[in-house]
Amino acid sequence: MITAVLIALLGVALVSYAQQVQLPVYIPAVNVSITALSANGMPLAKYAIVGLQCAGYNVSNLGLISVVIPIPSTGSITCKAYAYSFGVYSSKTVVLTANESGGETISVTLVVPVSGYYVPGIGFIPVGTLIAIAVAIIIAVILIAIGLIEYARWRRERLARLIRPPE
């Protein structure tokens, strides 16, 4: 009976000791950083949806993304990096292998073929939007000019009626 109690206590002690021992586990992984640029090299930090699709992983974010992808110790994983901005899509295939898993960061730069200009205080404006704004301003100026011409004509007619004697 005493031996059974000692065996039970020894078993509990071994189980609690085994739970306290932590073994380091190494999982090969690669940090992938993706940024989107416009056609003229300006960063699209606030204006592009950037993402990464790998086997079992689908991560997306606004602007830039940095994600850690576990890879198998042998072989490779094929991933697709993509960026979408102002109706234009760009993508690139990235192959991750175990050779790159030494804690490196793989930087992927995607050029989204949208051209535009950075306006301080406003941000990035694509060329199509700039053209639409210019057309709207031109139409507004034409309508104001027509309105002023019609007002001047109406005013002349009214003054002419005041000056001319009744018939």
Side-chain angles (χ1 to χ4, degrees):
M1 176 116 162
I2 294 176
T3 57
V5 171
L6 284 176
I7 291 175
L9 287 175
L10 182 63
V12 170
L14 287 176
V15 169
S16 65
Y17 177 74
Q19 290 174 350
Q20 292 176 359
V21 175
Q22 296 179 355
L23 299 174
V25 177
Y26 176 71
I27 299 174
V30 174
N31 186 14
V32 179
S33 176
I34 303 170
T35 56
L37 299 176
S38 68
N40 47 356
M42 296 167 60
L44 296 171
K46 298 179 191 173
Y47 310 102
I49 297 173
V50 179
L52 183 69
Q53 290 178 343
C54 293
Y57 296 97
N58 186 6
V59 182
S60 63
N61 195 10
L62 185 66
L64 72 108
I65 193 170
S66 182
V67 64
V68 176
I69 302 294
I71 55 176
S73 58
T74 59
S76 63
I77 291 180
T78 302
C79 297
K80 181 180 178 184
Y82 63 89
Y84 178 80
S85 180
F86 297 108
V88 182
Y89 181 82
S90 177
S91 67
K92 188 184 284 187
T93 302
V94 180
V95 178
L96 305 174
T97 62
N99 297 337
E100 300 162 336
S101 66
E104 326 180 356
T105 298
I106 297 176
S107 297
V108 178
T109 302
L110 295 171
V111 177
V112 181
V114 61
S115 59
Y117 298 98
Y118 180 78
V119 179
I122 296 175
F124 182 81
I125 300 176
V127 171
T129 304
L130 289 175
I131 292 171
I133 290 171
V135 168
I137 290 172
I138 290 171
I139 289 173
V141 167
I142 290 172
L143 290 175
I144 290 171
I146 291 172
L148 289 174
I149 290 169
E150 288 297 317
Y151 175 74
R153 186 187 60 80
W154 173 79
R155 189 78 179 143
R156 272 193 317 268
E157 288 176 3
R158 189 166 177 209
L159 286 173
R161 272 188 256 142
L162 290 174
I163 297 172
R164 186 175 355 141
E167 295 178 2

